[in-house]
Amino acid sequence: MTLLLMVLLTIVVPAGAGQGGVRLDPLFAALRATTDAAYAESLEEHIWDLWLDNPNAEMIRVMRAGVFSFNNDDYTAALAAFDTVVTLDPTYAEGWNKRAAAHYMLGRNRAALEDLRRVLSLEPRHFGALTELGLVYLAVGQPEAALKAFDAALAINPHLVKVRQQADNLRRTVYAGVAL
């Protein structure tokens, strides 16, 4: 395990701060246990809803604006919105996650890694952040670290089909000794 991934997974901050931690526990247990793809998708959606939830109406407004910008490929505007979000509430893991995605899309991998560290310190079960971590590691030429991040995401949510495919491809490539 790379040092950065070990640090990301071991930082001591309250798990799920500002993210409905206790409400998430049974959802994650059900997600790991189910073999029903439709039910798994429903559980994932509920988890994402809880991650996005925030009692501050202004925060939600700014977050929605950032997501709108992101979805329209305006990553600079999205980043500005997500900067505001994490300033308004530094315990809001999903704000850090969205900001990491904007950094990644802008090619700012170091900043994305820093934000992903914050996400995982606040919500270590954030399979989306772990998936994104794997993508950042791929972007910086660290396939072994990417594979570990993807495997960590799959341990939390075994229903991530594309992540499993990516991990399987990496596993064949990395263990076959082929450079990526």
Side-chain angles (χ1 to χ4, degrees):
M1 183 177 286
T2 68
L3 180 58
L4 179 59
L5 183 58
M6 288 172 36
V7 169
L8 286 172
L9 297 176
T10 60
I11 293 173
V12 180
V13 176
Q19 301 299 285
V22 174
R23 296 184 297 166
L24 288 167
D25 294 343
L27 297 173
F28 280 109
L31 187 60
R32 280 188 306 276
T34 189
T35 58
D36 182 319
Y39 183 55
E41 185 177 339
S42 173
L43 289 165
E44 285 178 32
E45 288 175 13
H46 197 72
I47 289 167
W48 280 104
D49 287 344
L50 288 173
W51 281 340
L52 284 164
D53 189 34
N54 192 287
N56 182 328
E58 175 64 9
M59 173 91 66
I60 296 300
R61 187 193 68 70
V62 175
M63 187 69 146
R64 285 183 181 153
V67 170
F68 179 81
S69 295
F70 189 91
N71 289 341
N72 286 294
D73 301 329
D74 187 351
Y75 305 119
T76 302
L79 182 60
F82 301 141
D83 282 342
T84 299
V85 166
V86 299
T87 299
L88 288 170
D89 184 356
T91 68
Y92 184 44
E94 195 53 30
W96 292 103
N97 186 53
K98 298 292 190 233
R99 193 171 92 158
H103 279 305
Y104 172 75
M105 295 305 292
L106 290 166
R108 300 174 182 166
N109 295 321
R110 178 178 225 79
L113 286 172
E114 291 170 10
D115 284 356
L116 290 167
R117 181 182 68 233
R118 289 295 295 265
V119 176
L120 294 168
S121 72
L122 294 165
E123 177 49 90
R125 303 169 295 187
H126 202 300
F127 51 82
L130 286 163
T131 299
E132 193 173 336
L133 181 63
L135 294 173
V136 174
Y137 277 134
L138 283 178
V140 298
Q142 295 184 34
E144 295 89 355
L147 178 58
K148 288 177 183 177
F150 291 147
D151 284 343
L154 290 165
I156 296 163
N157 181 355
H159 306 279
L160 301 169
V161 175
K162 290 182 181 179
V163 174
R164 182 169 311 286
Q165 291 168 346
Q166 182 74 31
D168 289 345
N169 289 339
L170 276 173
R171 194 169 285 101
R172 282 191 296 274
T173 304
V174 168
Y175 292 129
V178 177
L180 295 178

